[in-house]
């Protein structure tokens, strides 16, 4: 069974059909790319999955169960994490604190325990700290742990978002333009990180305009145009698809 199934999803904003009867599946353990021109509806699909928007029609199944009506915090609790196209960090907080914010939703100690600093609360804090450091090491930005997040380069801020998403221990991670603003060297490192995320058993769905990343990292691509799913297949199949070349990759001008 696929981990995620989108079934005939439609989302309208007034008269605009941003997502138009879109269906596709993300198999367990896959790295799937969602691509398409600007305004094709990709981020809207992500916002539908994470409960930020509600579909007008269709359904979203995670492990066979409908999540269409769940609030975002319940969707996160099921093991779905995301990063954002526009970076959403706590800019004045340290890099480590930003990752701890991702761990936070899994700590169970209540306010009273926190005030009294009960032993189990201290254990939870120590575990969260160790995990936050581990995710920073995983994404290669551990040496910036004590820096203020806004001082990181754009590329490292994107990696910090990935580290924070991983700190929620997801089974499924969705990355919205993770290579946005990265140079070629940073993008190559990101491709390795994405592969290692999958090796941890985490399924990946990503939106990306960097064709190098998409073709190298993804084994399956879904192409949207004007809100509709116009093609699906392996990177090689998509590169050879006439409709995609016309709609998205563009015809080289003389
Ligand atoms: N909250 C909203 N209210 C009104 N229109 C919206 C809203 N969000 C998205 N849209 C519109 O829906 C369409 C799809 O937008 P979306 O951001 O999903 O595209 P995208 O494929 O992610 O584009 P990009 O690659 O530029 O990020 C666009 O025409 C956009 O203007």
């Amino acid at each position: 069974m696929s981990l995620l199934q989108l079934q005939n999803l439609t989302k309208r904003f007034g008269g605009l059909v941003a997502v138009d009867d879109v269906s596709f599946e993300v198999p367990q353990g896959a790295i799937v790319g969602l691509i398409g021109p600007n305004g094709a509806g990709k981020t809207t699909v992500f916002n539908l999955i994470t409960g930020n928007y509600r579909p007008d029609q269709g359904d979203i199944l995670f492990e066979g169960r409908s999540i269409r009506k769940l609030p975002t915090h319940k969707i996160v609790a099921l093991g779905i994490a995301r990063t954002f196209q526009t970076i959403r960090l706590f800019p004045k907080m340290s890099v480590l604190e930003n990752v701890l914010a991702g761990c936070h939703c899994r700590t169970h100690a209540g306010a009273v325990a926190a005030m009294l600093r009960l032993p189990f609360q201290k254990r939870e804090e120590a575990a969260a700290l160790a995990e936050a450091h581990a995710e920073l090491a995983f994404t290669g930005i551990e040496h910036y742990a004590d820096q203020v997040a806004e001082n990181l380069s754009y590329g490292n801020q994107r990696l910090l978002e990935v580290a924070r998403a991983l700190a929620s221990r997801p089974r499924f991670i969705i990355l919205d333009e993770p290579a946005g603003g990265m140079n070629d060297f940073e993008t190559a490192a990101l491709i390795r990180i994405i592969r290692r995320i999958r090796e941890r058993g985490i399924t990946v769905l990503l939106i990306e305009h960097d064709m190098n990343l998409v073709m190298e990292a993804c084994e399956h691509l879904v192409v949207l145009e004007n809100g509709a799913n116009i093609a699906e297949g392996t990177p090689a199949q998509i590169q050879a698809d006439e409709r995609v070349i016309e709609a998205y990759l563009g015809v080289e001008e003389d």
Side-chain angles (χ1 to χ4, degrees), residues 179 182-184 187 191 208-215 248:
M182 285 190 178
N183 61 35
D184 289 351
T187 303
I191 291 171
E208 188 47 67
H209 287 291
D210 185 315
M211 279 302 120
N212 184 35
L213 182 148
V214 165
M215 297 299 166
Y248 181 59

Side-chain angles (χ1 to χ4, degrees), residues 13 16 18 36-45 53 85 176-177 207 209:
F13 296 110
L16 175 86
N38 289 332
K42 306 178 296 294
T43 297
T44 303
V45 167
Y53 296 154
Q85 186 178 351
D176 197 343
E177 290 193 35
I207 293 175
H209 287 291

Side-chain angles (χ1 to χ4, degrees), residues 43-219:
T43 297
T44 303
V45 167
F46 274 20
N47 283 325
L48 290 168
I49 297 169
T50 53
N52 297 84
Y53 296 154
R54 298 282 167 220
D56 293 305
Q57 272 146 39
D59 207 349
I60 305 161
L61 306 186
F62 186 66
E63 296 185 315
R65 175 187 163 196
S66 176
I67 59 169
R68 183 169 57 99
K69 292 184 178 163
L70 293 184
T72 299
H73 70 273
K74 290 212 170 139
I75 292 173
V76 173
L78 286 177
I80 300 179
R82 79 174 289 184
T83 66
F84 294 89
Q85 186 178 351
T86 315
I87 292 173
R88 293 191 195 178
L89 294 168
F90 299 108
K92 304 285 180 200
M93 281 166 52
S94 77
V95 166
L96 182 66
E97 285 165 342
N98 268 277
V99 184
L100 282 169
C103 295
H104 186 72
C105 61
R106 287 182 298 98
T107 53
H108 302 295
V112 176
M115 274 192 302
L116 298 174
R117 294 197 47 79
L118 296 175
F120 77 91
Q121 204 246 343
K122 284 189 198 159
R123 275 199 301 277
E124 272 192 348
E125 269 179 21
L129 205 58
E131 225 170 289
H133 277 292
E135 296 305 354
L136 287 175
F138 181 84
T139 47
I141 52 172
E142 161 83 321
H143 45 296
Y144 300 117
D146 296 326
Q147 288 204 17
V148 175
E150 67 182 359
N151 289 347
L152 293 190
S153 70
Y154 205 65
N156 283 336
Q157 288 190 25
R158 290 225 174 264
L159 292 179
L160 177 52
E161 276 219 322
V162 173
R164 184 175 61 180
L166 289 171
S168 71
R169 282 195 206 161
R171 281 176 294 151
F172 181 51
I173 190 166
I174 56 186
L175 308 172
D176 197 343
E177 290 193 35
M182 285 190 178
N183 61 35
D184 289 351
F185 181 76
E186 290 170 323
T187 303
L190 176 66
I191 291 171
R192 291 193 291 275
I193 290 168
I194 290 170
R195 291 196 180 124
R196 281 169 41 228
I197 290 174
R198 187 253 295 276
E199 283 165 18
R200 285 168 57 168
I202 302 168
T203 304
V204 182
L205 174 64
L206 60 89
I207 293 175
E208 188 47 67
H209 287 291
D210 185 315
M211 279 302 120
N212 184 35
L213 182 148
V214 165
M215 297 299 166
E216 269 200 50
C218 301
E219 58 242 346

